[in-house]
Amino acid sequence: MATAATALTPRIYDAQLHAQYAGLYERVRERIPLAEWSVHLPYIDAIQTLKRARRAVILAHNYQAPEIYYGVADITGDSLALAQRAADTAADVIVMCGVHFMAETAKILSPSKTVLIPDTQAGCSLAESITAADVRLLRLRYPGAPVVTYVNTSAEVKAESDICCTSANALHVVDSLAEDTVIFLPDQYLGRYVASQTKKRLVLWQGACEVHERFTGDEIRAMREPGVMVLAHPECPPDVLEAADFVGSTAAMSECIRRGGTHRVLLITECSMADNLAIEFPEVTFTRPCNLCPHMRRITLPKIYQALRDLAPQVEVDVEVARRARAAVQRMLDVGRREAA
Ligand code: 13P
Ligand code: SF4
């Protein structure tokens, strides 16, 4: 039998609906033309209603489009923040507007909650680059070396790991370990960046982000102008990071802008993030080579609406895999807590 929530259909866009969300539109109008807003708003309104009915929380990664990031998300941030907030939420349902590994991490940390991903095909080239069997072989090859796994991996790979990391805490995690040799998986570029900052020897894997590996140092130098600050994500190749003024996770790049001191930014990362930042910092001019993540783009308002309406697709992780993966993710979160204490 249809409940009030499942029976809900989006309203028709009209002046009354527009007026109800006038404040939100004022905020995003520079990035979302009225013609697009009239398509998005009925879904934003329906999602807000369903969210309350389902006691759901919507988590959105910094790469989500502005209509999701500003229109429906309750919590936004980088991979680390999303993992921390997924562990803490009191909601019954988590909707992950991000890619599959992020939804899996939420399920690992909140096994009793319903975790939804609006599109199960929202993958990640890094997560695709390595399997649990690969990790087991590496352990045989480097006995005694702990395995640090970037969260951009499957639950099975996390389950084979000693500790996880994100781009925000990779160096702290590596330096928190007692051993001199560390297996660091699977992003070769993040690994090389960490290796350049630590005294430890890192054994790397050949994985790469299909979005960030496309940037080049020559491209950055050609785009650089006087007075422009270049911010880059550590998934970029070394020549890009050398050409940058600041290297950090998506949240660290936002924080760098928030601290001020720059009015012109060249943002070397997935380009939707610049749209979100341009709304938050209207005084800053952003230049960005537009490399979009095709996986992040799979998440749309109609799919979020359907996921909440149908409570599907749900993310499930095998209980034993989840238990082992949780230990690796929890160790990472504990390193963060020790840092903060
Ligand atoms: P952050 O952890 O910096 O948000 O990055 C996640 C990601 O997928 C970058 O491509
Ligand atoms: Fe994966 Fe790269 Fe997309 Fe991030 S931007 S989700 S690392 S493919």
Side-chain angles (χ1 to χ4, degrees):
M1 197 176 65
T3 63
T6 56
L8 181 91
T9 50
R11 287 159 62 186
I12 305 291
Y13 178 79
D14 58 13
Q16 198 191 0
L17 185 60
H18 186 93
Q20 199 179 322
Y21 289 87
L24 177 60
Y25 186 58
E26 241 353 89
R27 190 144 193 236
V28 300
R29 62 183 300 166
E30 290 299 319
R31 295 284 138 192
I32 308 182
L34 190 56
E36 280 181 29
W37 186 245
S38 66
V39 177
H40 293 321
L41 189 55
Y43 284 104
I44 291 173
D45 174 63
I47 290 165
Q48 296 291 4
T49 305
L50 279 173
K51 203 162 65 169
R52 287 189 291 275
R54 297 295 196 195
R55 287 180 41 83
V57 65
I58 298 186
L59 273 56
H61 186 260
N62 291 328
Y63 292 162
Q64 289 296 301
E67 64 272 17
I68 296 172
Y69 189 92
Y70 288 102
V72 297
D74 301 294
I75 294 164
T76 56
D78 65 358
S79 306
L80 180 60
L82 298 184
Q84 287 164 333
R85 300 300 291 270
D88 294 344
T89 181
D92 296 338
V93 176
I94 296 173
V95 185
M96 181 57 76
C97 297
V99 293
H100 196 264
F101 76 79
M102 295 175 178
E104 264 191 349
T105 306
K107 184 67 184 179
I108 289 164
L109 290 169
S110 298
S112 62
K113 296 188 192 304
T114 300
V115 176
L116 305 171
I117 178 133
D119 188 323
T120 54
Q121 300 298 308
C124 170
S125 63
L126 281 166
E128 288 299 311
S129 74
I130 190 159
T131 66
D134 293 327
V135 184
R136 288 193 290 270
L137 280 174
L138 279 165
R139 276 198 191 278
L140 289 176
R141 211 161 149 201
Y142 299 94
V147 175
V148 176
T149 294
Y150 195 27
V151 287
N152 298 40
T153 45
S154 67
E156 287 77 10
V157 166
K158 289 184 177 77
E160 296 294 334
S161 311
D162 294 290
I163 185 165
C164 286
C165 74
T166 71
S167 58
N169 61 17
L171 180 61
H172 290 306
V173 166
V174 166
D175 281 343
S176 74
L177 300 168
E179 293 80 356
D180 292 332
T181 299
V182 172
I183 300 171
F184 187 94
L185 309 170
D187 186 354
Q188 57 179 307
Y189 296 127
L190 177 62
R192 282 205 233 173
Y193 179 66
V194 173
S196 74
Q197 318 265 310
T198 180
K199 293 196 172 67
K200 295 186 190 289
R201 175 180 168 244
L202 263 53
V203 175
L204 302 180
W205 189 251
Q206 292 301 306
C209 161
E210 66 188 87
V211 178
H212 290 91
E213 73 173 345
R214 295 213 301 270
F215 295 110
T216 66
D218 286 346
E219 183 186 12
I220 310 312
R221 281 184 288 276
M223 293 178 79
R224 190 187 258 289
E225 284 174 16
V228 169
M229 190 172 185
V230 181
L231 312 184
H233 194 278
E235 288 172 6
C236 295
D239 62 331
V240 174
L241 301 186
E242 272 159 32
D245 300 305
F246 177 86
V247 176
S249 75
T250 55
M253 288 190 279
S254 311
E255 188 49 37
C256 178
I257 297 165
R258 194 166 294 118
R259 281 199 303 268
T262 179
H263 290 285
R264 292 178 69 199
V265 168
L266 174 53
L267 200 64
I268 307 304
T269 192
E270 209 273 356
C271 81
S272 298
M273 185 168 141
D275 287 331
N276 295 329
L277 289 177
I279 291 168
E280 188 177 347
F281 303 106
E283 70 287 1
V284 178
T285 307
F286 289 90
T287 313
R288 69 276 204 180
C290 203
N291 288 357
L292 283 164
C293 173
H295 310 290
M296 289 281 180
R297 295 282 69 70
R298 283 183 170 273
I299 309 300
T300 62
L301 289 171
K303 289 182 195 169
I304 300 169
Y305 159 74
Q306 278 172 24
L308 272 169
R309 186 193 61 192
D310 304 342
L311 287 182
Q314 295 192 15
V315 176
E316 298 295 347
V317 181
D318 171 81
V319 174
E320 182 53 19
V321 170
R323 185 190 64 75
R324 294 168 60 218
R326 191 176 312 118
V329 176
Q330 194 55 54
R331 268 182 222 121
M332 168 186 84
L333 297 176
D334 292 345
V335 168
R337 287 203 182 100
R338 280 205 302 276
E339 289 278 321

